[in-house]
Amino acid sequence: MTQPSTSQPTTVTSASILGALTQPRILDLARLFGVRLRAGGTAGKRQLAQLLGAQLDGRAPLILRELGREELQAVCRAHRVPDGSTARRDLVERM
């Protein structure tokens, strides 16, 4: 039995993009998009990413446009996409 390839890109969703970011940044994006997260003060990063991702489903391009270069590189790495470019536009296009 062969193991799945780790070099294959993974599916990009709003939640998966948010999951590559820090918890404070997820909360910042929630405010930016006018989404009130009702997860209580104990919600972890993964839960916040899922909650906000559900609210922003289908809006991945809008989320990507709000991210800085280092954040985009982190998203690329999380989705197994090459992150070597220093240009934000190149990184967004790869996603």
Side-chain angles (χ1 to χ4, degrees):
M1 185 185 242
T2 60
Q3 298 235 346
S5 172
T6 58
S7 62
Q8 294 285 339
T10 59
T11 303
V12 178
T13 65
S14 295
S16 69
I17 292 168
L18 295 165
L21 305 175
T22 64
Q23 185 170 342
R25 184 61 167 135
I26 294 169
L27 294 170
D28 181 49
L29 288 169
R31 284 187 292 275
L32 178 75
F33 286 107
V35 176
R36 187 169 179 188
L37 296 176
R38 297 179 186 265
T42 61
K45 179 183 110 164
R46 180 179 221 152
Q47 184 180 8
L48 290 173
Q50 291 296 324
L51 289 169
L52 183 56
Q55 293 293 316
L56 299 178
D57 189 40
R59 297 173 68 187
L62 292 175
I63 298 169
L64 292 171
R65 279 190 287 229
E66 294 298 326
L67 303 182
R69 183 179 51 86
E70 290 179 3
E71 291 170 324
L72 288 167
Q73 287 174 323
V75 171
C76 285
R77 284 190 298 273
H79 291 89
R80 299 184 188 125
V81 173
D83 68 337
S85 178
T86 57
R88 287 181 69 248
R89 181 176 22 182
D90 292 343
L91 294 167
V92 169
E93 287 175 5
R94 290 179 186 180
M95 296 307 301

